[in-house]
Amino acid sequence: TYLRSAKLGDAVKIRTWIGERGRATCRRHYHMTMSVEGSELPLVEAWTDWVFVDFAKQSPKRIPPEVVDSFPLWEESAPPPAI
């Protein structure tokens, strides 16, 4: 969802996290803000659905354990802090 624009030179923060995960799918959330006079103003809120695919079989495949371990789930109501 587009909420407002930023201009060239504005400092923008982008947070991204995994909110939900299935056997072969996950939903990655994005939250973009900018700081104005000490307040964080939301610019964009979005998500994308990812599907892990076995290219040889052209079908969904289970998310590998090393990927699951690298991307912990976060609650949608509490996005992780910006890095």
Side-chain angles (χ1 to χ4, degrees), residues 25-46:
T25 63
C26 65
R27 178 165 287 178
R28 185 174 263 313
H29 296 262
Y30 307 88
H31 189 213
M32 184 183 294
T33 62
M34 71 178 179
S35 185
V36 176
E37 298 177 4
S39 296
E40 291 293 316
L41 297 178
L43 300 174
V44 175
E45 295 174 354

Side-chain angles (χ1 to χ4, degrees), residues 21-26 50-53 59-63:
R21 184 171 39 232
R23 185 172 170 221
T25 63
C26 65
W50 291 13
V51 178
F52 288 75
V53 175
S59 63
K61 73 174 188 175
R62 182 181 296 274
I63 301 171

Side-chain angles (χ1 to χ4, degrees), residues 2-79:
Y2 172 82
L3 303 169
R4 62 179 49 86
S5 61
K7 297 180 185 104
L8 183 63
D10 287 343
V12 173
K13 290 181 188 175
I14 301 172
R15 294 175 175 92
T16 183
W17 67 97
I18 303 296
E20 302 88 28
R21 184 171 39 232
R23 185 172 170 221
T25 63
C26 65
R27 178 165 287 178
R28 185 174 263 313
H29 296 262
Y30 307 88
H31 189 213
M32 184 183 294
T33 62
M34 71 178 179
S35 185
V36 176
E37 298 177 4
S39 296
E40 291 293 316
L41 297 178
L43 300 174
V44 175
E45 295 174 354
W47 52 263
T48 56
D49 285 329
W50 291 13
V51 178
F52 288 75
V53 175
D54 180 322
F55 286 116
K57 296 179 183 177
Q58 292 295 297
S59 63
K61 73 174 188 175
R62 182 181 296 274
I63 301 171
E66 61 272 14
V67 174
V68 171
D69 293 343
S70 297
F71 297 96
L73 295 175
W74 289 85
E75 296 294 326
E76 282 187 60
S77 60

